[in-house]
Amino acid sequence: MNTASPATAARTPGALAPSPLPPLLGVVIVNYRGAADTIECLESLLRSALPMKIVVVENGSGDDSVDRFRAWAGGTLDAAPESTDMAAFSTPPVAKPVPLIELSETAVGSGGVVAPLTLIVSETNRGFAGGNNLGLRHLLRDGQLKHFWLLNNDTVVAPDAAMSLLSRMMATPRVGMCGTVVRHYWTPDRIQALNGSSYNIFTGNGRSLGGGQSATIKYSPQDVADATDFVLGASIAVSRGFLSDVGLMAEDYFLYFEEIDWAVRNRKLGSHAYETAFAHGATVFHKAGRSIGSGSARAKRNAFADYWLARSRLRFTWRHYRWLWPLHWLICWGQILRRLLRRQGSNARAILRATFGRPF
């Protein structure tokens, strides 16, 4: 992996610089009350030498996020990395000002050229799928874009990640979905996931491939791709053909299970299904669950995360494995009991509401 240092990091927005070649990659970053994280992500992304078009979706945060993005683009607000190990990926700042085009959510889909960097402002929180779909609808208007990378706003990317991702997708026949190496931001020597996860339809649990292991472990990229039931949503790329035939993310999940729903819908195409690839040369660092309290430790999940995990799992199971829905309904009751034993009353009540289809 190519790791930049403050002395060598680009001081021009390489990804947005004029290029004789048309951008083939579009990027969507959804922001919800995490402007500092989003700015750090953008600073790392702009260090790529690969030309691309980037959309930031301000997903109804109701705070000063829009003003902070304007200040960053104008050069009066810099990224503030929280880890000294990660600072090399986002500092020193790229040259400013960075041209930033703003659109309202109602203007998405209207005429005009897709700018290199666009801020779409949604007045409401559309959830993970809704926010990403808003960005995808805008980028799809540019017929030259062939692949689309959805990045969590609390990620930082290595400077060669975008190029490695696009190269892998272009080299994979009939590629549909593609992930990357995702490592932990706070412990960058540890893997969060290689590409994504396997999924057990009986328990409703996913197992991150390579999760928790050393970043130096040896593995077969093809074996990882073959074992991937769904690509990790923190860093997931899809092709234009995939979006045309499978469609955008299902927005009725709001949070969780969007990625595996996407993957199962693709598999239901049978012989026409798209291939899942793994860009093992692309590395992304993820802060993991910061904005919604969905850390990997189950005992530390907040009630909001527990609610949407239960609700989305039941919805996913009903939609794709209806014969297993009674089992998953009973699993929810087991989770309620465990939360009560941990004296997590608010979490237990949240899962109960999800079990009966009640609002959070």
Side-chain angles (χ1 to χ4, degrees):
M1 181 189 67
N2 177 21
T3 56
S5 68
T8 61
R11 292 195 60 84
T12 57
L16 304 184
S19 170
L21 299 175
L24 301 178
L25 181 68
V27 183
V28 180
I29 303 169
V30 176
N31 176 79
Y32 180 72
R33 299 181 182 177
D37 289 330
T38 303
I39 289 169
E40 186 179 0
C41 179
L42 283 167
E43 283 282 355
S44 68
L45 192 60
L46 293 190
R47 281 163 168 71
S48 172
L50 180 74
M52 64 183 80
K53 293 196 174 181
I54 304 168
V55 171
V56 176
V57 178
E58 178 6 59
N59 206 20
S61 297
D63 59 9
D64 63 347
S65 289
V66 172
D67 290 336
R68 295 177 74 179
F69 295 142
R70 290 170 181 160
W72 166 78
T76 61
L77 179 64
D78 291 336
E82 297 178 62
S83 165
T84 54
D85 290 334
M86 292 292 102
F89 294 101
S90 58
T91 58
V94 297
K96 304 296 189 312
V98 173
L100 178 66
I101 301 299
E102 293 185 33
L103 290 178
S104 67
E105 57 188 317
T106 57
V108 172
S110 59
V113 176
V114 176
L117 179 59
T118 304
L119 173 64
I120 298 175
V121 181
S122 173
E123 296 300 324
T124 59
N125 182 358
R126 295 168 170 260
F128 178 78
N132 277 297
N133 285 349
L134 195 62
L136 286 171
R137 288 190 186 99
H138 180 67
L139 289 172
L140 281 166
R141 292 177 46 246
D142 187 333
Q144 293 181 313
L145 296 174
K146 304 303 181 186
H147 304 289
F148 305 87
W149 191 13
L150 311 184
L151 271 176
N152 268 26
N153 76 308
D154 60 345
T155 59
V156 170
V157 305
D160 56 356
M163 183 71 78
S164 296
L165 174 67
L166 182 62
S167 297
R168 177 68 270 163
M169 295 189 78
M170 293 181 68
T172 304
R174 199 168 167 77
V175 66
M177 311 175 83
C178 184
T180 64
V181 175
V182 180
R183 289 157 58 177
H184 290 285
Y185 179 93
W186 301 108
T187 51
D189 60 335
R190 293 288 155 183
I191 294 169
Q192 181 185 355
L194 299 174
N195 210 42
S197 299
S198 60
Y199 181 75
N200 187 316
I201 63 172
F202 297 100
T203 65
N205 292 327
R207 181 183 64 83
S208 297
L209 303 177
Q213 298 191 54
S214 168
T216 61
I217 63 166
K218 305 296 183 182
Y219 56 84
S220 161
Q222 187 58 55
D223 287 348
V224 170
D226 292 342
T228 302
D229 286 330
F230 65 96
V231 177
L232 182 67
S235 175
I236 178 172
V238 292
S239 66
R240 180 176 286 271
F242 177 94
L243 292 174
S244 176
D245 292 343
V246 179
L248 297 173
M249 282 187 175
E251 297 186 15
D252 55 349
Y253 289 102
F254 189 75
L255 283 175
Y256 305 119
F257 281 80
E258 303 93 342
E259 312 102 301
I260 188 168
D261 178 88
W262 234 357
V264 171
R265 284 159 53 198
N266 174 51
R267 287 198 286 271
K268 286 183 175 181
L269 295 178
S271 60
H272 298 289
Y274 287 83
E275 186 174 344
T276 296
F278 172 38
H280 64 281
T283 301
V284 172
F285 301 88
H286 185 210
K287 296 172 186 174
R290 136 167 296 179
S291 63
I292 52 176
S294 61
S296 57
R298 296 176 187 176
K300 295 182 180 180
R301 286 186 189 136
N302 64 25
F304 184 78
D306 263 345
Y307 172 85
W308 285 108
L309 275 167
R311 189 176 188 273
S312 294
R313 185 177 68 251
L314 289 172
R315 184 180 296 273
F316 169 81
T317 305
W318 179 261
R319 180 167 292 162
H320 297 293
Y321 305 101
R322 192 165 297 186
W323 56 283
L324 282 174
W325 192 88
L327 172 61
H328 285 272
W329 194 77
L330 291 174
I331 288 173
C332 285
W333 284 97
Q335 292 175 334
I336 291 168
L337 178 59
R338 285 195 293 273
R339 299 305 185 271
L340 290 173
L341 291 174
R342 293 177 188 152
R343 299 183 180 180
Q344 295 176 298
S346 61
N347 293 62
R349 287 190 295 273
I351 298 172
L352 181 65
R353 296 184 73 83
T355 301
F356 286 98
R358 302 290 300 278
F360 178 73

